[in-house]
Amino acid sequence: MTPNLVEGIDFSSQPLPNDEYELCTFTRCTFTGADLSKRAFYDCTFTDCTFAGAKLNRTALREVTFVGCDLTGLRFDHCDPFLLAVRFKRCTLTKASFEKLSLKETYFGQSVMQRVDFTQTDLTEAVFDECDLDGARFEYTVLERADFRTARHYALDPERNRLKKARFAWPGLVGLLVKYSIEVG
């Protein structure tokens, strides 16, 4: 049986036990460089945690919420893809990779997502609410019905991504024209 609330523990110096974690809340924990491979998290919340350099090989993330976390450089594409379901609010996801994952209906809110790799990712109905997507890579990405209305600094090629019924605000439309070197005035 795992504890429901874990606070302020530095798992970079003492490993997180290899276990399944269900309905747990991790608050202000450090996972810097931690090996979280083959662990399973179900209906868990991570708040104000740091994960820089953590390993996620075959890690199960099912209905996991990250709030105010530093997830810089994480390879979510190494997670167990079966029933993968995550959401992010006020997180730093710079240089993270979601390559080739199915992230339908995923919520990304108020997050810094610079240089994130979404190559061949299915982001159908995903929401990018007030996210900074500077340098994010969208190639052969499914963005049907995705919501970019409050996102900023994105650039994506309409010819290399599926955008049917995706939503954009007027100022953000410039991000769809970057490849053409057109100046909008």
Side-chain angles (χ1 to χ4, degrees), residues 34-86:
D35 188 352
L36 302 175
S37 298
K38 298 181 182 174
R39 286 167 181 76
F41 299 93
Y42 307 105
D43 297 305
C44 291
T45 301
F46 293 89
T47 304
D48 299 324
C49 295
T50 303
F51 287 86
K55 293 170 186 60
L56 299 175
N57 299 322
R58 306 295 301 159
T59 303
L61 300 174
R62 301 196 176 104
E63 300 302 329
V64 173
T65 301
F66 296 93
V67 180
C69 292
D70 181 352
L71 305 161
T72 301
L74 282 193
R75 298 293 309 259
F76 289 95
D77 55 333
H78 290 177
C79 287
D80 180 353
F82 183 69
L83 298 176
L84 176 69
V86 289

